Amino acid sequence: MGHIDLHCHSNASDGALTPTQVVERAVAQGAQMLALTDHDCLAGLAEARQAAETLNLPFVAGVEVSVTWRGKHTIHIVGLNIDSTSDTLSGHLAQVRQGRQERLQHMADLLAKRGINGVYAGALALATNPDMVGRAHIARYLVSQGVCKDVHSVFRQYIVPGKPGYVKHEWAQLADAVQWIRDAGGIAVVAHPGRYEFKRTSMMALLTEFKEAGGGAIEVSSASHSADERLQFASYAKEFDLLSSAGSDFHVPGEKGREVGVTPDLPSGCRPLWDEWLKERK
Ligand code: AMP
Ligand code: MN
Ligand code: MN
Ligand code: MN
């Protein structure tokens, strides 16, 4: 296992810990470098950077942008080494976050038809930033009400496509997300590509578009990936001349197979995205 983690969440989006707690936990796990990449927001970055400086942990400012690709697939694009004070990026992200509360209301109405009440207020109460309320908050609320035994069951039974509480949403465009990240001085990374369950044709199309838009890396090492998937995405990285990244996608302590600051090693032959950054900090 490696100790470079360039993808994780705080309670600025749908993680459970404060940015400071995330950094402290990463250090306790032996992290060598950490990027905080909250969904569609930069709100946790200043605090995380401060905590990382205090603990002498090399820190990278990041974000995970929600994208709708080809009108139907939700794709996540991580931006790394961004200027966390960029008003332009911040403005675009505020646009992406718009509609999260309406989506929540819509989902709450659908769930109420199934006899599950109080979802709107319940989920909002669990979110730090009311415009950054997401499905994870809904899932935690349902678990707290005893509707399901855990968050994964809520997703599986209620809030993924095809299930009664799911509401389709239009996020950012792929090329826009990549451009915003680049304009803020960052590098764009396709997050957890294995999670999209694309066949080769779709993955090739996605990576072609991503590359043309100026994308720079693939998250080859992800807690979401099997060893086979790591090899598969390492080979895509090579094919598309993209760098390789590693991220835990940590949200909550105690999740099976997922810990902040800990990621599987990249397969040999990958060009690690962080090489330059580690050198700069030595
Ligand atoms: P949203 O952006 O509000 O649609 O929520 C997406 C988030 O939901 C992801 O970043 C994960 O944190 C969480 N999520 C998605 N699918 C699952 C799942 N099957 N089990 C647990 N959490 C999930
Ligand atoms: Mn999340
Ligand atoms: Mn994601
Ligand atoms: Mn994530």
Side-chain angles (χ1 to χ4, degrees):
M1 285 301 220
H3 288 93
I4 303 282
D5 185 356
L6 301 178
H7 183 162
C8 69
H9 298 271
S10 76
N11 66 359
S13 64
D14 59 3
L17 305 182
T18 66
T20 302
Q21 289 169 332
V22 171
V23 167
E24 288 171 351
R25 190 172 173 101
V27 169
Q29 298 296 332
Q32 278 186 293
M33 177 174 275
L34 183 76
L36 180 68
T37 55
D38 275 310
H39 298 286
D40 307 322
C41 81
L42 310 175
L45 293 173
E47 182 186 322
R49 179 178 295 284
Q50 180 75 52
E53 270 170 23
T54 306
L55 295 171
N56 222 358
L57 173 68
F59 181 77
V60 175
V63 64
E64 183 174 18
V65 185
S66 311
V67 163
T68 301
W69 184 58
R70 292 189 158 175
K72 55 178 178 206
H73 305 285
T74 299
I75 300 289
H76 287 169
I77 300 295
V78 159
L80 294 174
N81 213 16
I82 50 167
D83 170 7
S84 60
T85 64
S86 160
D87 289 336
T88 316
L89 177 58
S90 192
H92 289 308
L93 295 175
Q95 288 286 326
V96 181
R97 291 197 303 275
Q98 245 192 17
R100 275 187 176 270
Q101 276 176 55
E102 288 96 299
R103 178 183 70 150
L104 169 62
Q105 186 62 65
H106 195 166
M107 292 176 84
D109 292 344
L110 291 173
L111 291 166
K113 288 191 188 137
R114 303 273 158 161
I116 304 167
N117 296 302
V119 173
Y120 185 78
L124 273 177
L126 295 173
T128 310
N129 299 311
D131 67 345
M132 205 24 254
V133 65
R135 283 185 290 159
H137 301 107
I138 297 178
R140 284 176 209 151
Y141 173 71
L142 263 58
V143 172
S144 77
Q145 297 305 296
V147 176
C148 288
K149 68 172 182 354
D150 57 30
V151 159
H152 289 286
S153 310
V154 178
F155 272 89
R156 210 172 45 240
Q157 290 178 40
Y158 291 104
I159 55 174
V160 289
K163 297 298 167 177
Y166 183 74
V167 170
K168 194 173 172 291
H169 197 76
E170 186 77 23
W171 305 109
Q173 293 295 305
L174 175 63
D176 290 343
V178 172
Q179 194 59 49
W180 300 338
I181 290 164
R182 285 166 59 97
D183 288 346
I187 173 165
V189 186
V190 177
H192 43 59
R195 287 247 292 270
Y196 312 133
E197 296 181 354
F198 285 169
K199 297 210 165 64
R200 181 165 169 85
T201 333
S202 298
M203 189 52 72
M204 293 289 287
L206 172 68
L207 293 176
T208 303
E209 248 182 70
F210 175 70
K211 181 84 186 178
E212 276 169 12
I218 307 185
E219 203 170 75
V220 168
S221 166
S222 164
S224 304
H225 289 167
S226 65
D228 274 356
E229 284 172 321
R230 287 199 297 278
L231 289 173
Q232 188 191 336
F233 291 110
S235 125
Y236 276 117
K238 193 161 187 201
E239 191 170 344
F240 283 85
D241 194 24
L242 292 162
L243 298 171
S244 296
S245 190
S248 68
D249 206 3
F250 170 84
H251 283 76
V252 185
E255 248 198 302
K256 199 165 143 261
R258 209 172 277 248
E259 183 54 83
V260 68
V262 186
T263 52
D265 289 328
L266 291 176
S268 61
C270 288
R271 288 186 296 138
L273 158 69
W274 58 84
D275 268 2
E276 288 299 309
W277 301 340
L278 268 189
K279 272 187 221 144
E280 279 166 23
R281 287 164 208 257
K282 284 215 166 116

